[in-house]
Amino acid sequence: MTKNTILFSMLIPFLSMSSKTYGQILYEENFDLPGEGVIGPQPTTFSIPTGAWSLSGDFSGLTASSDYVLTMTDAGESFLEAQDTDEIICFESDPIDISSYDSVGISALLSEEGDLETSDFFDVFLWVDGTETLLANYQNLGSSTHTLTGDKPNDDDFGEVEIQETLTGNILILKICFKNNAGTEQLRIKQVKVEAFSTPEPVPLPDTSQASFSLINAISDQPFAGFDPISDGASIDLLNLHTPIINFRYNASPDADEVKIGISRGGQTIERIDKDLPFSLFGDYMGNYRYPSWSFFKLLWLSQTGSLHLYAFEYADGNKLPIKETKIHIDLFIGPNQLKEAISIAELQFELYPNPASTQTLLQLDPRVHGEQIEMLVFDQLGKLYYTESLKGRHTLKLDLQEWPKGLYLVKLKSGSTEQLKRLIVQ
């Protein structure tokens, strides 16, 4: 099976010009409440018991314990996933007041896994002041009645799609509906966001006559004062930045049309090749500085001493040899403590992947937990203890599920009075 991603990015200007707020998030949903949703046979109506998001539609198609619409996490990412719904089920945002802003950007990251049929689809609706607009048949991947449909060659049902729309109005509701009919197919929604802007502004870039690095706030997409550019040997106190969600932009010389950007520490390296401005370690050509990956934070948690090394190689006109090389060394701190020391507090955060699973799943404990005596307890759907094992200081544990009955399980990690609970679906 192949996994494909669709990025919906819409910039919507509105008539009102009264506000001058820039980059304010009006609505955001990351589905970070694992286990909320519906599993197995359900009545035709259902209400989410907790959380800021809602589901609607026909739940009568959930006829087995492997059928679900559920929030879950995989490799540190949270999302809403649907499997074998048979009928149409919709995610719907709260009403959002957008009347006071010049423009709003709407994004919803959708993905699919498995080879979908023509009867399977994603539909994206915008409700503006009570009027519904269906974003239909983008790049010939849907129809007049659907945004995206399955049954394309080589499992590549959706590919990558970037949608842009222009609307006016006062109250916005975003609705995404999905339908699929097999346990080998999954549809996902994550990172739904509505962000207000005063006016479309170009991505701020310093003078590119000299190559340099800038420290970017990945939430606001803006550089931090005093670190634009970053001086070689700089010490950066994350506590003063008021966010650990950072990114590194490379400000290339004028001739560069491609760069390789990397960051390394203690023998571990993360790097990417970027061909579109602004060049950044995590980002895209629209100037969106995305949150660094789970691997990036694991790199920062390494116990080895020493600074972070940032480097970039510039290329031009398809030349295989770099035209310029830039390297700097920096140190990250939280207050008076080095980052690796400040985040060593034991927390029982863990991930299960894959989830749902059929033959095995891997339990990955947060690498910040050191030397803890942790017990894993697994309960079945009736609440009975089904399986238990001690981690004994390990950070990973592989569970063999081949003999486990299909259905829903609760996986609990416990150390003293500290507990964390996640749901596991065996299908």
Side-chain angles (χ1 to χ4, degrees):
M1 293 187 297
T2 60
K3 182 178 180 181
N4 306 292
T5 299
I6 306 98
L7 176 63
F8 286 83
S9 180
M10 312 163 208
L11 189 61
I12 305 176
F14 287 83
L15 294 178
S16 173
M17 303 292 287
S18 60
S19 173
K20 295 302 179 184
T21 303
Y22 180 82
Q24 178 182 350
I25 296 178
L26 302 181
Y27 179 90
E28 183 173 18
E29 182 54 67
N30 293 314
F31 304 106
D32 53 359
L33 295 171
E36 296 295 340
V38 291
I39 305 173
Q42 295 290 333
T44 56
T45 60
F46 181 80
S47 298
I48 297 299
T50 60
W53 54 279
S54 61
L55 290 178
S56 63
D58 187 349
F59 297 92
S60 62
L62 305 180
T63 57
S65 60
S66 60
D67 304 341
Y68 61 86
V69 183
L70 190 69
T71 53
M72 55 182 69
T73 58
D74 186 5
E77 293 186 325
S78 300
F79 48 85
L80 177 70
E81 181 170 283
Q83 175 175 287
D84 202 2
T85 65
D86 287 333
E87 307 299 334
I88 300 174
I89 297 177
C90 301
F91 156 79
E92 187 171 320
S93 71
D94 296 329
I96 307 165
D97 184 358
I98 54 177
S99 61
S100 300
Y101 305 96
D102 297 352
S103 62
V104 295
I106 302 176
S107 62
L109 187 62
L110 311 182
S111 66
E112 49 117 341
E113 190 166 306
D115 190 11
L116 308 181
E117 291 80 30
T118 53
S119 59
D120 302 330
F121 59 80
F122 269 115
D123 278 343
V124 180
F125 298 92
L126 295 179
W127 290 73
V128 180
D129 298 339
T131 299
E132 176 184 285
T133 300
L134 169 67
L135 307 180
N137 197 25
Y138 275 89
Q139 296 189 8
N140 296 317
L141 296 176
S143 67
S144 61
T145 56
H146 295 298
T147 303
L148 301 166
T149 59
D151 202 25
K152 297 295 186 295
N154 303 319
D155 288 358
D156 189 14
D157 293 304
F158 295 158
E160 292 186 354
V161 179
E162 184 178 349
I163 297 175
Q164 293 184 339
E165 291 293 311
T166 300
L167 300 171
T168 59
N170 299 294
I171 300 297
L172 169 68
I173 297 176
L174 176 66
K175 184 168 74 171
I176 302 172
C177 300
F178 36 60
K179 175 181 178 292
N180 71 332
N181 62 357
T184 58
E185 308 160 355
Q186 292 83 38
L187 302 175
R188 290 181 177 181
I189 308 174
K190 60 181 177 179
Q191 299 175 350
V192 179
K193 182 188 294 186
V194 177
E195 189 172 7
F197 300 92
S198 60
T199 55
E201 297 185 12
V203 176
L205 290 173
D207 184 3
T208 57
S209 60
Q210 183 175 358
S212 63
F213 288 92
S214 297
L215 184 66
I216 302 296
N217 184 332
I219 296 178
S220 68
D221 286 1
Q222 301 301 303
F224 290 101
F227 299 105
D228 185 25
I230 306 172
S231 301
D232 188 21
S235 294
I236 302 173
D237 186 345
L238 293 182
L239 188 63
N240 289 337
L241 301 180
H242 303 292
T243 175
I245 312 300
I246 60 176
N247 193 5
F248 295 98
R249 182 183 70 206
Y250 179 65
N251 313 304
S253 51
D255 295 331
D257 53 30
E258 179 180 327
V259 298
K260 179 191 289 185
I261 312 172
I263 183 171
S264 64
R265 181 180 187 178
Q268 300 293 316
T269 298
I270 297 174
E271 66 180 18
R272 74 185 293 253
I273 295 176
D274 198 341
K275 298 182 179 181
D276 297 289
L277 289 171
F279 302 126
S280 63
L281 195 58
F282 303 95
D284 60 32
Y285 70 95
M286 296 294 291
N288 299 315
Y289 297 102
R290 298 173 183 162
Y291 290 9
S293 66
W294 179 250
S295 299
F296 175 78
F297 288 108
K298 288 174 66 176
L299 180 143
L300 297 184
W301 294 335
L302 290 175
S303 60
Q304 291 92 336
T305 59
S307 60
L308 293 172
H309 305 274
L310 281 168
Y311 60 89
F313 298 93
E314 297 184 15
Y315 300 86
D317 300 326
N319 195 328
K320 296 183 179 180
L321 297 177
I323 61 174
K324 188 177 183 62
E325 177 181 344
T326 303
K327 294 182 179 180
I328 64 172
H329 308 279
I330 62 174
D331 286 291
L332 294 181
F333 293 85
I334 295 181
N337 303 311
Q338 289 188 358
L339 181 62
K340 65 182 181 62
E341 298 171 347
I343 62 175
S344 62
I345 300 173
E347 299 178 4
L348 294 183
Q349 300 295 331
F350 69 99
E351 302 296 335
L352 294 166
Y353 52 93
N355 186 10
S358 55
T359 59
Q360 66 181 22
T361 188
L362 182 68
L363 185 152
Q364 174 69 61
L365 186 64
D366 191 316
R368 290 176 294 183
V369 180
H370 297 290
E372 300 295 329
Q373 187 63 35
I374 301 172
E375 184 179 10
M376 181 192 68
L377 302 95
V378 181
F379 300 89
D380 62 18
Q381 298 182 75
L382 300 177
K384 295 181 180 180
L385 183 62
Y386 181 79
Y387 183 81
T388 182
E389 186 170 343
S390 175
L391 269 69
K392 297 181 180 179
R394 291 177 289 176
H395 289 93
T396 60
L397 177 63
K398 184 179 294 184
L399 295 177
D400 186 351
L401 307 176
Q402 297 187 72
E403 302 299 326
W404 290 34
K406 296 180 180 180
L408 174 67
Y409 295 85
L410 298 179
V411 180
K412 177 190 289 186
L413 292 192
K414 182 177 182 181
S415 177
S417 59
T418 303
E419 296 181 353
Q420 286 289 343
L421 186 69
K422 288 187 181 293
R423 296 189 182 191
L424 170 65
I425 297 176
V426 178
Q427 60 185 19

